[in-house]
């Protein structure tokens, strides 16, 4: 696969869904990928990338940012509160806001810095015990406290459906949760199902292996 073929599949899916071109952002998930593959995708013009570890992202993105203009980085993996300030230095968007303690710390950090990244609340649509994310039943209350208690502007919702299930009910659930709460952003869809996610309303798709090739070590 190449970036160009993913871009054209994405464009086709947007057209098939009767949606506006430009309504879906492609996040190229570069976690664990060797630097030469990332460089090649940068050279093909891609500027929006996803990483799932703060430390790993710091290992290479400052150098790429010195070399390429307009890079936009999205944190799509779990965020520990002790890495929060580091994360805010590097990432323009965080897709993994998943608990009250993090919202509280984030709120303080955002006030100190005077600017806020684009925020997505992660929802555990499959209610999987081992998976991060807010339980769907507690979501409305959590969003409410983000607004009223923490003064955090939430842009959208993010989900990773259970690996062995049809993703469609999960994508639909996420869309309904967003609509009910007046949220615009829907971060859903990966290499195997991004076209389906676009049909279900995704605004951000997170595509890794289909662009870069298989990862040498499995991502968490
Ligand atoms: C790794 C990862 C992706 C990309 O997965 P692919 O199947 O390689 O496209 C998307 N979202 C999250 C949260 C990930 O951790």
């Amino acid at each position: 696969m190449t970036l160009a073929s993913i871009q054209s599949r994405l464009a086709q899916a947007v057209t098939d869904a009767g949606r506006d071109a430009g309504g879906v952002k492609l996040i190229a998930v570069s976690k664990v990928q060797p630097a030469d593959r990332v460089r090649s995708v940068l050279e093909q013009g891609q500027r929006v990338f996803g990483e799932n570890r703060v430390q790993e992202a710091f290992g290479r993105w400052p150098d790429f940012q010195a070399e390429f203009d307009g890079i936009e980085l999205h944190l799509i993996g779990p965020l520990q509160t002790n890495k929060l300030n580091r994360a805010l230095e590097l990432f323009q968007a965080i897709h993994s806001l998943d608990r009250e303690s993090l919202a509280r710390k984030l709120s303080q950090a955002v006030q100190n810095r005077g600017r806020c990244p684009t925020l997505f609340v992660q929802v555990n649509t499959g209610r999987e015990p081992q998976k991060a994310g807010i339980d769907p039943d507690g979501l409305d209350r959590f969003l409410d406290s983000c607004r009223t208690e923490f003064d955090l502007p939430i842009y959208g919702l993010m989900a990773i459906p259970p690996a062995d299930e049809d993703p469609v009910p999960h994508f639909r659930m996420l869309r309904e949760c967003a609509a009910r709460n007046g949220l615009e952003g829907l971060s859903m869809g990966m290499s195997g199902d991004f076209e389906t996610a676009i049909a279900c309303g995704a605004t951000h798709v997170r595509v890794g292996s289909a662009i870069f090739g298989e990862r040498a070590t499995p991502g968490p």
Side-chain angles (χ1 to χ4, degrees):
M1 288 290 171
T2 62
L3 176 65
S5 76
I6 297 303
Q7 285 167 333
S8 72
R9 282 172 55 190
L10 185 149
Q12 187 62 50
V14 170
T15 307
D16 291 348
R19 299 180 51 192
D20 289 341
V24 181
K25 188 174 269 199
L26 174 62
I27 302 171
V29 177
S30 49
K31 65 178 184 197
V32 201
Q33 298 287 353
D36 58 332
R37 288 194 197 167
V38 181
R39 170 179 296 281
S40 151
V41 169
L42 276 160
E43 283 166 353
Q44 292 168 63
Q46 176 71 19
R47 288 295 177 271
V48 183
F49 290 85
E51 289 282 354
N52 69 344
R53 288 169 187 233
V54 176
Q55 217 54 33
E56 186 193 340
F58 264 98
R60 59 173 165 213
W61 285 103
D63 287 345
F64 283 139
Q65 284 171 322
E67 195 178 340
F68 297 89
D69 281 336
I71 290 173
E72 182 182 306
L73 296 177
H74 291 240
L75 181 64
I76 60 171
L79 178 55
Q80 294 158 284
T81 44
N82 64 354
K83 302 241 173 72
L84 178 58
N85 279 303
R86 290 288 274 164
L88 292 176
E89 286 170 37
L90 192 64
F91 291 97
Q92 283 74 51
I94 293 173
H95 293 239
S96 48
L97 175 52
D98 63 354
R99 59 196 189 276
E100 193 162 310
S101 56
L102 180 59
R104 188 181 306 274
K105 292 259 165 53
L106 191 56
S107 166
Q108 290 159 1
V110 161
Q111 275 173 32
N112 294 340
R113 300 172 69 86
R115 64 191 155 83
C116 189
T118 302
L119 295 176
F120 294 82
V121 169
Q122 184 172 349
V123 185
N124 188 356
T125 58
R127 297 183 167 90
E128 296 170 279
Q130 81 288 5
K131 197 170 269 180
I134 300 278
D135 187 279
D137 296 331
L139 178 66
D140 294 6
R141 205 190 59 81
F142 180 73
L143 289 169
D144 211 51
S145 64
C146 285
R147 289 189 185 116
T148 57
E149 193 178 341
F150 304 124
D151 201 21
L152 285 173
I154 304 300
Y155 177 73
L157 303 178
M158 180 273 232
I160 309 168
D164 52 356
E165 285 182 29
D166 177 4
V168 169
H170 298 274
F171 294 158
R172 290 200 176 131
M173 182 198 288
L174 199 69
R175 183 176 62 191
E176 280 158 24
C177 290
R180 187 169 74 227
N181 286 283
L183 298 174
E184 196 181 324
L186 281 173
S187 168
M188 57 191 199
M190 320 203 307
S191 290
D193 56 18
F194 71 92
E195 288 143 313
T196 307
I198 289 169
C200 293
T203 60
H204 292 64
V205 292
R206 311 177 307 265
V207 181
S209 44
I211 293 175
F212 293 99
E214 289 303 321
R215 286 180 287 276
T217 51

